[in-house]
Amino acid sequence: MEFFVLNRTYFSSAIFKILSKNDSGMGAGHQAGFLIPTELRSFFPPLPEATIENPAPSILIDAILISDQTQPVRVITRWQAQTWYNQRSPETRLTGELEIIRKYSCEGDLLLIEKSEEDIYFQPPVYRMTLLSRGTQIFDEFLGGIGNKKWGFLSRWSHAVSEIQEESYFVREKSAAPFQAFDDDSSYVRRGRRYKRARAFRNLVIEEYGGRCAICGCGLRLSSGATELEAAHVIPKFAKGVDDVRNGLALCRTHHWAFDNWLIGILPNGILRIAPIVSTLPQNVSLLNYDGKHLFPPKNEQNAVHLDAILWSERKFNEIWQRG
């Protein structure tokens, strides 16, 4: 098993499957792995015919495993047809070395499997398997594109999904460590990775606040799972604020803009302050309704905005309006 940073491998096709209980870490059966329906078998290499001598033919395949709970891992897993000594029709599954993501999976989660493009040197394809947990923001958005299907081929999908999940792991890891208010982008220098990290941060913050704005409690949403909510950095990125859930607030677009422009501040006890200029502009008076109100809390108390981030933001708020 190899901890692994994704390279420039291009994934040209994909399938998905909503996991059953037996697929997931909830299943107690000894046939550990992911069952692949007959309709999806052509996505994988052809298997030898089952014989009396070899009733469970299999092929080893190269796979990258991704979830938001662990680092990406590269493994050799097995693509297998099981016939129970030729007593039943073949049942195909991916099995072996998959526990790194299977143990985090539950019934109803989604498994995205991508296949690398065939190259000119006829190297075997690499399969990238990404677990999307039910109820997460990225799961809801993906589900909006497939409807009620339980499995199928994907003609269109975002190649960013797997990389956003990879970045989600690093945001979760940072959010579980002792809080450090400031970060340096050099840890993910490539611009494309910055975008994926930002998406991962947004998804995790929105999930933490239950899909509602931490100021007004609202948040428009489509049936596809898309939401207007955004993730505000309490210590902004221009000041090298960290991508840690404890430096984030889920905000609707209106209140994100107001927060970023210092019309709204936060006291150390989580009470909101409204800038003095607000009462002088009729377009802004709705913000006065939140003066003295408390932020809506996150689902997990340990992921509330860290005091260090609030104190930095409070000092900046005071500097701006004392100067103004």
Side-chain angles (χ1 to χ4, degrees), residues 247-304:
N247 186 42
L249 284 171
L251 298 178
C252 64
R253 291 183 178 182
T254 295
H255 293 135
H256 189 180
W257 186 89
F259 183 76
D260 281 355
N261 285 279
W262 308 104
L263 298 180
I264 301 176
I266 311 172
L267 293 170
N269 58 3
I271 298 296
L272 297 170
R273 300 173 63 192
I274 303 302
I277 196 175
V278 165
S279 61
T280 68
L281 296 171
Q283 298 90 335
N284 297 342
V285 293
S286 64
L287 295 180
L288 295 174
N289 295 326
Y290 303 104
D291 195 29
K293 298 291 181 66
H294 204 285
L295 284 170
F296 283 94
K299 292 188 288 188
N300 299 292
E301 184 179 353
Q302 68 270 24
N303 287 329

Side-chain angles (χ1 to χ4, degrees), residues 20-272:
S20 67
K21 183 176 180 179
N22 287 336
D23 287 319
S24 73
M26 301 166 64
H30 68 279
Q31 291 292 327
F34 299 117
L35 184 68
I36 303 299
T38 304
E39 296 87 342
L40 301 182
R41 289 177 184 172
S42 62
F43 189 72
F44 298 94
L47 288 166
E49 290 291 329
T51 63
I52 295 175
E53 294 79 16
N54 183 18
S58 64
I59 292 175
L60 297 178
I61 62 174
D62 192 0
I64 299 164
L65 311 180
I66 295 175
S67 84
D68 63 357
Q69 300 291 331
T70 182
Q71 294 185 53
V73 175
R74 193 160 191 164
V75 301
I76 300 298
T77 189
R78 189 175 296 277
W79 165 233
Q80 182 184 67
Q82 176 60 262
T83 65
W84 287 270
Y85 295 94
N86 297 302
Q87 299 300 306
R88 290 165 52 180
S89 298
E91 182 180 272
T92 48
R93 68 176 65 243
L94 296 164
T95 184
E97 301 295 334
L98 299 177
E99 282 304 298
I100 197 71
I101 59 171
R102 190 171 179 267
K103 67 183 178 182
Y104 296 114
S105 66
C106 295
E107 182 179 5
D109 289 349
L110 187 146
L111 183 68
L112 170 66
I113 306 178
E114 300 161 280
K115 181 168 64 173
S116 67
E117 189 175 46
E118 302 287 345
D119 65 28
I120 59 174
Y121 301 107
F122 300 101
Q123 294 294 321
V126 175
Y127 292 84
R128 182 166 67 178
M129 305 180 195
T130 303
L131 179 68
L132 306 183
S133 297
R134 183 178 55 180
T136 61
Q137 181 65 27
I138 197 168
F139 174 93
D140 290 345
E141 292 179 3
F142 196 97
L143 201 66
I146 62 173
N148 295 321
K149 296 179 181 177
K150 297 296 185 183
W151 61 73
F153 286 86
L154 293 167
S155 56
R156 297 177 60 190
W157 81 102
S158 172
H159 295 269
V161 168
S162 296
E163 293 172 10
I164 291 170
Q165 281 296 79
E166 179 191 355
E167 294 297 333
S168 294
Y169 162 73
F170 292 106
V171 175
R172 285 188 188 275
E173 186 179 54
K174 192 175 291 291
S175 301
F179 185 74
Q180 294 183 339
F182 302 97
D183 198 9
D184 187 343
D185 284 353
S186 62
S187 63
Y188 54 110
V189 172
R190 297 205 326 264
R191 183 171 299 174
R193 301 306 283 184
R194 290 194 187 105
Y195 165 76
K196 309 300 191 314
R197 178 72 59 89
R199 283 292 306 276
F201 175 76
R202 171 185 178 270
N203 290 346
L204 292 174
V205 169
I206 290 172
E207 289 164 26
E208 189 58 48
Y209 283 85
R212 65 181 183 178
C213 174
I215 290 175
C216 66
C218 300
L220 299 178
R221 178 179 289 267
L222 299 177
S223 59
S224 65
T227 176
E228 67 151 339
L229 291 177
E230 300 170 342
H233 287 80
V234 178
I235 302 177
K237 288 305 291 180
F238 69 76
K240 296 191 180 297
V242 66
D243 287 322
D244 181 317
V245 172
R246 297 164 295 180
N247 186 42
L249 284 171
L251 298 178
C252 64
R253 291 183 178 182
T254 295
H255 293 135
H256 189 180
W257 186 89
F259 183 76
D260 281 355
N261 285 279
W262 308 104
L263 298 180
I264 301 176
I266 311 172
L267 293 170
N269 58 3
I271 298 296
L272 297 170

